[in-house]
């Protein structure tokens, strides 16, 4: 078997959509066609129909691996390669192998099998793609610890989406076709909510659509196909920066709407002259906001030939239609060329061109851009060509046609061509035309002919007047063009500076957007904002291709401050652009100052929040800590009193009161210490496997047993947690629920497991109290928040704040939900422990650094400030402290 094998991926939006079933079905189809197919690794997860699909296929024995005293089975790469089938079916591309395996990830195992020339069919969920991992976590609230680099999936020759509507998937789960019955309710209430599944489905569809676009572009490139394929409508609108742009964008948006879900792209072709470009920066900024507001995208490309650059962009994005405005040029200006619209229409091929009329048609657009010369390169080229050929052509017509109109008429004809050259090409081509005309008139039409001698004084005067008029007209035309260009440039500078001033007034402080505007304004390749740090430079912000990291390598620079420079690459800016560039540099300095002031303000807010917490703490301590102390003091004083004889029952009651008050005081102080460690970020959890049926009894010591019902299966897998922190978090939440529940508190636990995604153990503490309004659900986790009905003297409002801090320190989650029928349910999400994993082994596999604390007094390395929050809204729930430490 020669060459590398091919990879086919069945991609799903969520567990349970049928990826493994589809993969096995494809295996059976290939087997029926005579292909040698084996099962390298398939996980049925106890699903009957999936297990039935495996029947009839040869299964390669799995490799057994021992880890920490436990036995695991993994894909046997060597066995599959030794068997050398045509196709291997291997489930769960994102799977992480047992530590000690040859490869850390299953996709690396599959890569070896592909290198051996064996085709592989595998499965993958969209949430395991690296590029979407953070998006999925924000949608579902569940971190995905097993990921696959997007490049691995992109290398697949085939990616097939296994799709299922969210409602259909939920029905499958409700029928017990995905999870065990005891796990269905928790799964449907959390990860498999309709909104989550809809968002994941959209992500999967969009990702596959992008891969289809990539494949189509690759195929067209490989086969040299330049004409557009109308697989999807892409409508491009060309913007000049003129006033007609708004009309064109709206017309293009209407065309896109009629075409269905068409892509809408606006493009402006900027010249390499930067500010010398005749486009209006203000109009372009307004049109950019308009196109983005209509759901399109804005693009800017650089090119001196607008039509060519526009055609290249259209073909590059596989455009199917283009919308252009009718030319604003006056009639005489068409002698310079047919115009962009006509050129694009002629050379667009299969791309439909819409030329849209507007109120500015034929009203003129100036004489065009100038850099070192008042006219464009093209116009100067036309001028020189006309200067060199025009006079000779007139002389040939007069001579060969034997017209002989007379010297005065000859002079007028040559003067006319000189004026025409001046209008087209400016001063220097017109002077050349005048000199050439003077020589031709003298040689062919001034007696004696065919000599440069002039015999009559009148002819000398005529030739002199001819040269003077030609020079004067050329100078006037050149001056007019120069003044027009200067006015256009001044207008562009004014609009650019006005935009900067407006952005400051509106509070636009995004540095990337500012650097993008610099790059677009001056037509450069890249812009970088560099700051001196020690003996070198650091990049504060950059945009464009290949930005420099040292000002000495830049082609243009502007000083922002003594230690900061704006560095531009792509072309050397003329001195006339430096004034506007300096304005951009000043704006960049203002943006940085604003950002640093905002950071200082954030630090000040944190300090103020700390002061608020300390004030609340003092207020709480003044009552809540003094109450148990007063009770202890009263009990001890009573026992020591000599004038009262206490009976055994009375002494026992006083001692019990002292012990209860001491326990309560211990709990208060413990929670204050816990919060202090969480606030200062000095906690280091000692992570290891913890059995919930062993942790819960310790967490229930401070509550009446008849108020709590525990339903935790004995077969439930251990969780990865710190025993002391977990007990403290559970105890705080359970005691808080008991305090506010109108009936028994129900504590349940279940394991959520789905193919290809991280497993999770959920602990639910459900009460039957009055519940908490949605707007106050997050407030209950803020320190010192005791909502409406909390009795005075029952705590300082730290229990839930400490519980969430501990759970997050262990890599878990804690969030509230409504209890069906009324009440509040606190949901713990904890990672399951690897079988046989030793204490102190965190999820990453490396032992956690820490030390056990026999008192359960752990700290946590939690980044950020957990102090305070907005004042709690209406409700009754608080973050209460637990009465006894675990």
């Amino acid at each position: 078997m020669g060459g590398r094998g091919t990879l086919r991926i069945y991609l799903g939006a969520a567990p349970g959509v049928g990826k493994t079933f589809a993969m096995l079905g494809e295996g059976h189809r290939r087997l029926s066609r005579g292909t040698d197919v084996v099962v390298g690794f398939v996980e049925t997860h106890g699903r009957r129909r999936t297990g039935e699909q495996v029947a009839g296929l040869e299964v390669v024995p799995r490799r057994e691996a021992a880890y920490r005293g436990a036995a695991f089975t993994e894909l046997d790469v060597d066995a599959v390669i030794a068997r050398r089938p045509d196709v291997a079916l291997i489930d769960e591309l994102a799977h992480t192998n047992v530590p000690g395996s040859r490869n850390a990830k299953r996709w690396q195992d599959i890569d070896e099998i592909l290198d051996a020339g064996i085709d592989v069919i595998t499965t993958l969920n969209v949430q395991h793609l690296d590029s979407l991992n953070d998006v999925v976590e924000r949608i579902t609230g569940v971190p995905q610890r097993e990921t696959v680099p997007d490049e691995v999936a992109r290398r697949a020759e085939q990616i097939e989406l296994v799709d299922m509507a969210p409602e259909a998937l939920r029905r499958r789960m409700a029928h017990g076709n995905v999870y065990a019955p005891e796990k269905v309710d928790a799964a449907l209430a959390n990860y498999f909510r309709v909104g989550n599944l809809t968002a994941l489905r959209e992500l999967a569809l969009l990702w596959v659509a992008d891969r289809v676009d990539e494949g189509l572009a690759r195929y067209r490139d490989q086969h040299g196909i330049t004409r557009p394929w109308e697989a999807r409508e892409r409508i491009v609108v060309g913007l000049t920066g003129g006033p007609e742009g708004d009309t064109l964008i709206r017309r293009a948006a209407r065309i896109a709407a009629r075409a269905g879900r068409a892509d809408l792209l606006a493009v402006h072709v900027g010249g390499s002259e930067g500010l010398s470009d005749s486009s209006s920066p203000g109009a372009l900024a307004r049109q950019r906001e308009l196109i983005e507001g209509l759901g399109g995208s804005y693009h800017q490309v650089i090119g001196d030939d607008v039509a060519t650059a526009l055609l290249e962009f259209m073909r590059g994005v596989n455009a199917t239609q283009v919308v252009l405005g009718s030319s604003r040029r006056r009639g005489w200006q068409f002698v310079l060329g047919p115009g962009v619209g006509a050129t694009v229409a002629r050379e667009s091929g299969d791309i439909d061109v819409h030329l849209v009329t507007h109120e500015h048609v034929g009203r003129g657009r100036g004489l065009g851009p100038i850099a070192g010369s008042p006219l464009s390169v093209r116009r100067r080229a036309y001028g020189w060509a006309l200067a060199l050929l025009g006079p000779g052509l007139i002389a040939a017509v007069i001579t060969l046609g034997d017209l002989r109109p007379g010297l005065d008429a000859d002079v007028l004809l040559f003067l006319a061509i000189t004026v025409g050259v001046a209008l087209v090409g400016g001063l220097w081509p017109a002077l050349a035309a005048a000199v050439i005309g003077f020589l031709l008139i003298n040689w062919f039409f001034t007696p004696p002919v065919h000599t440069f001698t002039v015999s009559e004084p009148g002819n000398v005067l005529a030739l002199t007047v001819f040269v003077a008029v030609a020079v004067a007209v050329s100078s006037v035309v050149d001056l007019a063009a120069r003044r027009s260009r200067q006015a256009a440039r001044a207008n562009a500078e004014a609009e650019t500076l006005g935009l900067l001033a407006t952005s400051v007034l509106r509070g636009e402080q995004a540095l990337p957007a500012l650097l993008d505007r610099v790059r677009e304004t001056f037509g450069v390749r890249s812009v970088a904002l560099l700051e001196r740090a020690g003996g070198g430079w650091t990049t504060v912000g950059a945009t464009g291709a290949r930005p420099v990291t040292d000002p000495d390598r830049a082609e243009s620079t502007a000083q922002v401050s003594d230690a900061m420079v704006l560095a531009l690459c792509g072309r050397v800016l003329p001195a006339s652009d430096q004034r506007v560039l300096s304005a951009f540099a000043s704006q960049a300095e203002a943006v940085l100052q604003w950002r640093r002031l905002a950071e200082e303000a954030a630090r000040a807010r944190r300090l103020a929040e700390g002061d608020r917490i300390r004030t609340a703490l003092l207020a709480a301590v003044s009552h809540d800590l003094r109450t148990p102390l007063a009770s202890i003091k009263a009990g001890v004083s009573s026992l020591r009193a000599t004038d009262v004889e206490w009976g055994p029952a009375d002494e026992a009651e006083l001692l019990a009161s002292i012990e209860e008050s001491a326990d309560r005081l211990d709990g208060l102080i413990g929670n204050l210490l816990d919060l202090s460690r969480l606030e200062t970020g000095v906690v280091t959890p000692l992570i290891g496997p913890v059995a919930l049926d062993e942790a819960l009894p310790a967490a229930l010591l401070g509550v009446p047993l008849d108020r709590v019902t525990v339903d935790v299966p004995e077969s439930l897998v251990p969780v990865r947690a710190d025993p002391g922190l977990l007990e403290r978090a559970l105890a705080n939440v359970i005691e808080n629920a008991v305090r506010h529940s109108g009936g028994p508190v129900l504590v349940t636990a279940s394991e959520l497991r789905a193919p290809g995604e991280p497993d999770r153990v959920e602990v639910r503490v459900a009460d039957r109290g009055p519940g908490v309004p949605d707007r106050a659900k997050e407030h209950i986790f803020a320190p010192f928040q005791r909502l409406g009905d909390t009795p005075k003297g029952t705590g300082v409002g730290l229990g839930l704040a400490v519980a969430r801090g501990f759970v997050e320190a262990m890599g878990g989650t804690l969030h509230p939900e409504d209890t069906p029928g009324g009440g509040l349910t606190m949901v713990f999400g904890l990672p399951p422990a690897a079988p046989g994993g030793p204490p102190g082994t965190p999820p990453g596999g490396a032992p956690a650094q820490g030390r056990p604390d026999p008192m359960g007094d752990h700290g946590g390395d939690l980044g950020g400030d957990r102090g305070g929050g907005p004042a709690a809204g209406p409700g009754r729930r608080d973050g209460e402290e637990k009465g006894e430490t675990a």
Side-chain angles (χ1 to χ4, degrees):
M1 190 179 299
R4 179 179 168 88
T6 61
L7 177 64
R8 178 172 183 169
I9 297 176
Y10 282 95
L11 180 72
V17 297
K19 302 180 300 300
T20 303
F21 194 88
M23 178 186 71
L24 293 170
E26 177 64 19
H28 280 287
R29 284 191 292 274
R30 297 199 183 194
L31 184 65
S32 66
R33 295 194 298 265
T35 305
D36 184 12
V37 180
V38 301
V39 174
F41 189 100
V42 165
E43 185 60 69
T44 65
H45 297 283
R47 298 169 188 165
R48 179 179 57 82
R49 294 190 61 194
T50 305
E52 292 172 353
Q53 279 284 84
V54 178
L57 294 171
E58 178 185 347
V59 179
V60 176
R62 301 184 183 184
R63 173 178 59 87
E64 293 189 359
Y67 178 67
R68 305 293 189 183
F72 300 88
T73 60
E74 294 285 2
L75 170 67
D76 194 332
V77 178
D78 293 330
V80 173
I81 294 175
R83 171 62 177 76
R84 300 194 70 80
D86 295 329
V87 178
L89 309 180
I90 303 174
D91 210 1
E92 300 180 4
L93 180 65
H95 173 76
T96 300
N97 292 329
V98 172
S101 301
R102 180 165 64 199
N103 296 312
K105 296 285 188 177
R106 182 164 293 165
W107 65 262
Q108 295 169 321
D109 293 339
I110 290 176
D111 212 40
E112 288 191 29
I113 295 173
L114 292 171
D115 285 338
I118 300 171
D119 295 344
V120 174
I121 303 177
T122 186
T123 62
L124 178 67
N125 278 334
V126 71
Q127 64 262 34
H128 297 302
L129 291 165
D130 264 342
S131 63
L132 300 177
N133 186 258
D134 57 337
V135 178
V136 172
E137 183 174 355
R138 286 197 298 270
I139 292 172
T140 65
V142 179
Q144 306 294 328
R145 295 179 178 84
E146 293 186 322
T147 60
V148 173
D150 283 43
E151 183 58 31
V152 173
R154 286 195 183 99
R155 289 200 299 263
E157 279 71 17
Q158 297 181 63
I159 299 177
E160 184 169 334
L161 180 66
V162 182
D163 191 26
M164 180 176 288
E167 295 79 6
L169 178 55
R170 286 172 60 85
R171 282 196 300 272
R172 285 196 66 201
M173 297 190 65
H175 294 156
N177 295 329
V178 179
Y179 290 139
E182 65 271 13
K183 301 175 183 177
V184 170
D185 290 341
L188 291 176
N190 290 277
Y191 192 88
F192 289 86
R193 293 192 294 266
V194 172
N196 288 359
L197 295 176
T198 302
L200 292 173
R201 188 186 188 199
E202 184 176 14
L203 284 177
L205 289 168
L206 291 174
W207 193 88
V208 172
D210 287 342
R211 302 295 77 73
V212 172
D213 277 349
E214 289 178 3
L216 180 61
R218 186 166 53 249
Y219 179 87
R220 285 162 49 85
D221 184 62
Q222 291 171 351
H223 293 78
I225 300 171
T226 57
R227 64 185 181 88
W229 283 5
E230 299 180 6
R232 182 175 182 177
E233 289 289 343
R234 285 186 174 86
I235 299 166
V236 172
V237 53
L239 301 178
T240 64
E244 77 283 359
D246 295 13
T247 302
L248 301 184
I249 291 172
R250 292 188 174 94
R251 177 63 62 86
R254 291 196 294 271
I255 295 172
R258 289 194 295 268
R261 295 181 61 86
D263 292 337
L264 181 60
L265 304 90
V267 59
H268 169 66
V269 180
S272 59
E273 298 90 357
L275 269 180
S276 298
D277 193 334
S278 60
S279 58
S280 166
L284 284 174
R286 184 182 66 254
Q287 291 159 14
R288 179 175 194 163
E289 292 179 1
L290 177 60
I291 190 70
E292 291 175 350
L294 292 172
S297 58
Y298 177 87
H299 306 266
Q300 175 146 339
V301 295
I302 304 299
D304 290 323
D305 189 318
V306 176
T308 300
L310 184 57
L311 286 165
E312 289 177 354
F313 177 83
M314 291 157 47
R315 291 167 182 146
V317 299
N318 194 26
T320 57
Q321 303 183 56
V322 61
V323 177
L324 302 174
S326 297
S327 178
R328 286 185 282 128
R329 295 192 298 176
R330 293 188 174 90
W332 65 267
Q333 289 179 306
F334 282 96
V335 301
L336 306 177
V340 173
T343 303
V344 170
R346 185 180 67 247
E347 301 181 10
S348 63
D350 293 333
I351 303 175
D352 296 336
V353 179
H354 302 266
L355 285 178
V356 179
T357 186
H358 50 87
E359 60 180 338
H360 303 282
V361 173
R363 294 190 178 183
R365 53 175 299 172
L367 295 175
I370 53 174
S373 168
L375 300 173
S376 67
V377 175
R378 175 180 288 186
R379 288 185 60 175
R380 281 181 282 146
Y382 286 158
W384 278 108
L386 189 59
L388 296 175
L389 300 178
L393 181 62
I394 290 179
V397 169
I398 295 175
T399 302
L400 297 177
D402 196 23
L403 300 178
R404 306 293 180 183
L407 182 60
D408 293 340
D410 295 337
V411 168
L412 289 176
L413 287 173
F414 279 94
L415 181 60
I417 193 66
T418 302
V419 171
V421 171
L423 291 173
V424 174
L427 177 62
W428 293 106
L431 293 179
V435 172
I436 294 173
F438 171 81
L439 295 176
L440 290 176
I441 293 172
N442 195 353
W443 181 267
F444 287 106
F445 309 115
T446 304
V449 296
H450 301 140
T451 68
F452 290 108
T453 302
V454 180
S455 58
E456 299 181 12
N459 293 340
V460 174
L461 179 61
L463 291 175
T464 302
V465 171
F466 164 73
V467 173
V469 170
V471 171
V473 170
S474 301
S475 299
V476 169
V477 172
D478 181 77
L479 181 62
R482 193 178 298 278
R483 291 290 182 264
S484 174
R485 182 55 185 160
Q486 289 173 350
R489 179 184 182 81
N491 180 64
E493 288 186 6
E495 288 194 10
T496 301
L497 295 173
L499 284 173
L500 280 177
T502 303
S503 67
V504 173
L505 293 175
R506 287 201 304 255
E508 295 178 2
Q509 302 293 346
L511 186 61
L514 177 66
L515 298 181
D516 276 334
R517 184 167 290 175
V518 174
R519 183 173 59 84
E520 293 172 2
T521 299
F522 296 101
V524 294
R525 185 186 74 241
S526 65
V527 179
L529 184 61
L530 307 176
E531 187 173 23
R532 190 183 300 278
W537 295 87
T538 59
T539 301
V540 178
T543 185
R546 304 186 304 278
V548 297
T549 56
D550 191 322
D552 293 336
R553 300 177 184 174
E555 291 167 280
S556 297
T557 59
Q559 199 73 26
V560 177
S561 64
D562 292 340
M564 196 170 295
V565 172
L566 202 60
L568 286 69
C569 287
R571 71 185 185 94
V572 178
L573 297 186
S576 55
D577 285 349
Q578 289 298 322
R579 183 163 65 107
V580 177
L581 183 59
S582 297
F584 275 108
S586 299
Q587 174 71 353
E589 184 179 19
V591 168
L592 284 177
Q593 288 178 351
W594 178 88
R595 189 166 74 180
R596 288 166 179 171
L597 286 173
E599 292 172 355
E600 291 180 5
R603 286 194 293 270
R605 282 194 298 272
R606 287 195 293 270
L607 292 174
E609 189 62 36
D611 290 338
R612 188 193 69 80
I613 291 176
R614 282 189 288 272
T615 301
L617 176 60
L618 290 174
V621 167
S622 66
H623 183 278
D624 295 294
L625 291 184
R626 291 180 57 143
T627 299
L629 284 174
S631 178
I632 294 171
K633 174 69 173 175
V636 172
S637 298
S638 298
L639 289 173
R640 295 187 63 187
T642 58
D643 56 342
V644 179
E645 284 289 336
W646 300 104
D650 294 330
E651 288 186 359
E653 183 178 351
L654 288 171
L655 289 172
S657 175
I658 293 171
E659 183 178 17
E660 180 183 353
S661 298
D663 288 340
R664 184 177 167 196
L665 183 61
D666 180 62
L668 288 169
I669 295 174
N671 273 327
L672 289 172
L673 291 174
D674 292 338
L675 181 66
S676 174
R677 290 181 174 87
L678 290 170
E679 295 284 350
T680 54
V682 296
V683 179
T684 305
L686 185 63
I687 302 295
V690 179
L692 285 175
D693 56 353
E694 297 177 1
L696 278 169
L700 297 173
L701 291 176
V703 297
L705 295 181
D706 60 342
R707 297 291 306 278
V708 180
T709 301
V710 178
D711 182 13
V712 177
E714 294 182 0
S715 59
L716 189 67
V717 299
V719 297
R720 304 185 69 84
D722 180 301
L725 298 187
L726 179 60
E727 290 171 13
R728 182 74 62 82
L730 287 170
N732 282 6
V733 171
I734 293 172
E735 184 173 330
N736 195 64
V738 168
R739 184 179 297 115
H740 299 288
S741 181
V745 173
L746 177 61
V747 181
T748 61
S750 62
E751 182 183 6
L752 298 183
R753 174 174 292 180
E757 72 169 22
D759 299 337
R760 180 174 49 149
V761 174
E762 279 195 350
V763 180
R764 291 173 165 264
V765 180
D767 66 43
R768 291 295 179 180
V772 174
D774 289 339
R775 61 181 178 274
K777 278 189 170 64
E778 283 303 310
H779 296 169
I780 63 178
F781 294 102
F784 306 108
Q785 297 298 319
R786 299 190 298 178
L787 305 186
D789 66 346
T790 301
K792 291 293 183 182
T794 60
V796 293
L798 294 178
L800 294 184
V802 170
R804 173 175 273 189
F806 282 171
V807 172
E808 291 180 348
M810 297 182 291
T813 59
L814 176 61
H815 66 276
E817 293 181 358
D818 291 328
T819 302
L824 190 73
T825 298
M826 302 299 294
V827 183
F828 293 79
L830 300 167
T841 306
Q849 300 300 318
R851 59 180 180 83
D853 186 339
M855 298 301 294
D857 185 12
H858 294 264
D861 186 9
L862 300 178
D865 185 357
R866 300 191 181 280
R876 57 99 183 125
R877 178 84 50 176
D878 71 342
E880 291 299 336
E881 82 289 339
K882 129 179 166 45
E884 291 185 347
T885 57

